[in-house]
Amino acid sequence: MSRKYKNIETKLIKSGEPEPKILGAVSMPIFQSSTFEYGGEDNYHDVRYIRLNNTPSHDALHKKLAAIENAEAAIAASSGMAAMTTALLAFLVKGDHVLAQDNLYGGVHEFISKDLPQFGIEYDFIDASKPDEWKSKLKRNTKVIYIETISNPLMKVGDLNAVPKFAKEHKLISMIDNTFASPVNFRPIEHGFDLSLHSCTKYLNGHTDLVAGAAIGSTEYVDRVRMKLNHLGGTLDPHTCYLLQRGMKTLSLRMRYQNQSALRIAEFFEAQPGIEKVNYPGLKSSPSYKFASELFEGFSGMMSIELDGGERAADRFIELLEIPINAPSLGGVETLITKPSVTSHAGLSPSDRRKVGISDSLIRLSVGIEHTDDLLEDFAQALSKL
Ligand SMILES: *Cc1c(COP(=O)(O)O)cnc(C)c1O
């Protein structure tokens, strides 16, 4: 664990960078070599080979990822889904049971409810804001509790302090998908979580040009994920390792700007007569404000809204906008807008979507780093034409 640098801005630049510098290179070089000369290793997992996640490009990235969440270790993966599914499979075997938050990222929701049962692993969904109810869902074979820092797409923040406490009491591994908050706003390991998971595709990289994931935590737990990842093969290639650790250097600047810009935009939407609902944990009116304001340094750049006119108004609004791009995904420098019912949550049946509160007219917004005033002007002109 690198305690050498105090603040995340410095860690993003300095942590994990090779010392001494490789031939003096200021930017970490890419080690595009699948295999490396044998150096006397006696364990399969230590032989240097890209799939075994241990090239110099991986080492630099892993150290940076661990440092920014004040954790001992980290492992990158070929996507957020690779990190999350591999982490779950590293701690769950046939006959086990997992407790998971009820409105998870669509892919993980499906993996838990459709794929895990095929491996003989049971699940129950819980409301992350109601810890009093969790015990009734607990079973003798429960091994993992899995939640998200800010849930997608309704931006709900659960009782995050209660999760590690509950996990310790009942000897569970606590996992949290910290993608939406990013390590700038929330660092789960400091709050007692066992594993923090990321889709690095989003804020960590920030430039909408790669897919990657990560699991961050103690050396012991990250090693367990690494062993499973070495076998399942969801490894990040060295070139993407390089792109990700380059993108991460500006994370704090981007995130702090996006925090500010999104808060202003959410407040603007809340004041508009044509808008029925704004989901943003930074709004004082949000049911998530209490937990979020106690724990977060910022509320992130993600929000969702419901317009008065339902699905037709939603489609028209998206069409009328000039700056936001109609695309799924999030966390990049460009403002993106999407309807979760046709993108991130299209995999759920309409009735499952309704159960978790995602209407077909819900619009999700990922605020980029364009000037806030330009975005506000664009939203205002589109709303005026509805
Ligand atoms: C995008 C995302 C994932 C999946 O990550 P990929 O990099 O697309 O595999 C998981 N969780 C959340 C919260 C996400 O936004």
Side-chain angles (χ1 to χ4, degrees):
M1 188 174 355
S2 170
R3 290 234 177 260
K4 211 160 130 194
Y5 309 109
K6 228 161 85 191
N7 294 298
I8 193 166
E9 287 77 6
T10 315
K11 290 177 188 184
L12 284 162
I13 305 301
K14 303 290 283 184
S15 296
E17 301 291 320
E19 285 286 345
K21 300 195 188 327
I22 299 164
L23 298 177
V26 170
S27 172
M28 174 68 198
I30 307 166
F31 281 78
Q32 199 71 46
S33 181
S34 61
T35 189
F36 290 72
E37 222 170 6
Y38 178 66
E41 301 87 355
D42 50 12
N43 180 327
Y44 164 73
H45 294 278
D46 294 335
V47 173
R48 286 215 185 234
Y49 180 62
I50 289 178
R51 181 173 42 75
L52 300 178
N53 300 292
N54 55 15
T55 70
S57 299
H58 288 93
D59 292 347
L61 174 62
H62 293 161
K63 283 185 193 145
K64 203 184 283 296
L65 283 166
I68 61 173
E69 288 207 353
N70 285 330
E72 280 177 358
I75 175 97
S78 57
S79 66
M81 282 302 292
M84 289 154 202
T85 56
T86 305
L88 283 165
L89 291 172
F91 288 90
L92 291 165
V93 296
K94 190 174 163 188
D96 285 347
H97 173 253
V98 52
L99 286 177
Q101 183 171 353
D102 53 10
N103 51 75
L104 289 177
Y105 177 78
V108 178
H109 186 282
E110 271 199 78
F111 179 73
I112 289 176
S113 59
K114 303 228 168 74
D115 295 293
L116 286 185
Q118 292 178 13
F119 298 124
I121 298 162
E122 309 177 271
Y123 68 93
D124 269 297
F125 287 118
I126 52 170
D127 183 331
S129 64
K130 297 186 177 149
D132 294 347
E133 296 177 3
W134 302 346
K135 211 163 169 189
S136 66
K137 298 275 176 72
L138 197 69
K139 296 188 175 187
R140 273 212 321 275
N141 53 346
T142 310
K143 295 287 161 60
V144 168
I145 182 164
Y146 186 103
I147 66 154
E148 290 179 359
T149 316
I150 303 173
S151 78
N152 176 39
L154 298 174
M155 315 304 154
K156 288 190 192 165
V157 179
D159 190 343
L160 301 182
N161 273 331
V163 178
K165 207 168 140 244
F166 184 82
K168 284 194 179 73
E169 240 172 74
H170 302 287
K171 298 198 165 52
L172 314 179
I173 302 290
S174 54
M175 298 187 188
I176 183 165
D177 178 338
N178 196 35
T179 302
F180 272 43
S182 96
V184 173
N185 292 328
F186 186 66
R187 291 170 296 280
I189 306 304
E190 292 175 358
H191 295 270
F193 280 91
D194 293 312
L195 277 178
S196 165
L197 306 167
H198 282 276
S199 166
C200 307
T201 312
K202 318 294 169 53
Y203 285 112
L204 284 173
N205 179 57
H207 291 74
T208 327
D209 52 10
L210 60 78
V211 172
I216 305 173
S218 67
T219 305
E220 183 193 345
Y221 292 155
V222 169
D223 267 353
R224 251 174 98 161
V225 179
R226 184 166 72 98
M227 299 295 164
K228 192 61 83 181
L229 192 68
N230 287 354
H231 290 156
L232 294 176
T235 302
L236 196 64
D237 73 281
H239 190 259
T240 314
C241 287
Y242 159 80
L243 284 174
L244 174 56
Q245 68 108 29
R246 182 178 77 157
M248 280 168 61
K249 291 180 187 178
T250 55
L251 171 68
S252 184
L253 292 178
R254 286 185 276 110
M255 197 74 237
R256 292 191 201 283
Y257 182 82
Q258 283 161 310
N259 284 341
Q260 277 178 19
S261 195
L263 181 58
R264 269 188 68 198
I265 291 167
E267 285 168 350
F268 163 83
F269 281 142
E270 198 175 36
Q272 302 307 304
I275 294 185
E276 198 178 296
K277 192 145 198 274
V278 184
N279 302 305
Y280 186 67
L283 291 175
K284 295 210 170 62
S285 59
S286 160
S288 296
Y289 181 76
K290 186 180 163 292
F291 292 135
S293 59
E294 275 169 23
L295 291 167
F296 297 172
E297 286 179 32
F299 303 103
S300 155
M302 297 300 302
M303 72 187 73
S304 56
I305 59 172
E306 292 267 7
L307 302 183
D308 279 342
E311 206 178 344
R312 276 187 61 152
D315 289 332
R316 182 87 182 110
F317 178 67
I318 292 172
E319 239 176 65
L320 284 164
L321 291 171
E322 280 164 19
I323 299 173
I325 300 165
N326 181 357
S329 198
L330 60 113
V333 292
E334 312 85 356
T335 296
L336 300 183
I337 196 159
T338 188
K339 282 200 310 181
S341 62
V342 295
T343 55
S344 62
H345 288 68
L348 300 190
S349 68
S351 81
D352 278 351
R353 273 202 300 272
R354 265 196 302 280
K355 253 188 253 164
V356 294
I358 301 165
S359 76
D360 289 347
S361 57
L362 186 76
I363 296 172
R364 191 187 73 181
L365 183 69
S366 169
V367 176
I369 62 168
E370 303 92 344
H371 201 290
T372 315
D373 292 345
D374 293 342
L375 287 168
L376 288 174
E377 199 177 303
D378 197 17
F379 294 130
Q381 68 77 22
L383 285 171
S384 75
K385 292 183 188 133
L386 290 181

